Amino acid sequence: MATIEHSAILAASPERVFALLERVEDFADYSDLIHSIESLGDERFRWHVHAVGRDWHFDVAITERQAPEALAWESLDGVENQGRYHLRPVDAGTEVSLTLTYRLGSKLLEKAVNKAATPLVNRVSRQILERVEQRL
């Protein structure tokens, strides 16, 4: 599996940051690439994203919700992927780390996609965390 990682420090407590991150439907407000997120019930969500010139729709399920330390998910359809936010207190507030892994079925394809996806995921992650911080 290919892995993309990103981290940032937010000037707020882990409890406050986690309270915003766990409201998955609000992620559409945090990134220009996320059009909408629908709750499907039972900790499942349908994401509508526009990236790399295409509209993407995929369902994810929350697999871990451990306030205020971790929030994780995995895909239910589409590109196989898993993600996890890990929060830890630091002197300046909260360090938020995102780890995203995905599998495309071909190591060569994963390498090519990872080259394009890493800056995109970092941009979206940075945008999400900046907007979460603004809400704090």
Side-chain angles (χ1 to χ4, degrees), residues 58-109:
F58 52 91
D59 295 351
V60 301
I62 301 298
T63 58
E64 178 185 8
R65 185 185 298 258
Q66 185 180 352
E69 294 92 21
L71 181 68
W73 63 92
E74 68 181 5
S75 62
L76 300 173
D77 62 6
V79 174
E80 181 183 345
N81 72 87
Q82 300 162 328
R84 184 174 194 267
Y85 278 112
H86 179 258
L87 289 72
R88 71 178 189 90
V90 295
D91 289 341
T94 302
E95 180 181 41
V96 181
S97 300
L98 168 66
T99 302
L100 179 66
T101 59
Y102 60 91
R103 181 187 321 267
L104 298 176
S106 161
K107 288 193 184 282
L108 186 60
L109 183 58

Side-chain angles (χ1 to χ4, degrees), residues 29-45:
D29 297 335
Y30 302 151
S31 174
D32 298 334
L33 299 178
I34 304 170
H35 286 265
S36 64
I37 301 171
E38 304 169 57
S39 174
L40 303 175
D42 297 325
E43 298 279 89
R44 297 175 330 156
F45 300 88

Side-chain angles (χ1 to χ4, degrees), residues 10 20 26-34 123-136:
L10 303 184
L20 289 179
D26 289 350
F27 273 56
D29 297 335
Y30 302 151
S31 174
D32 298 334
L33 299 178
I34 304 170
R123 181 179 132 212
V124 171
S125 179
R126 198 170 31 255
Q127 192 176 60
I128 287 169
L129 294 178
E130 286 172 357
R131 291 183 183 177
V132 164
E133 188 168 38
Q134 287 172 0
R135 287 212 177 169
L136 293 169

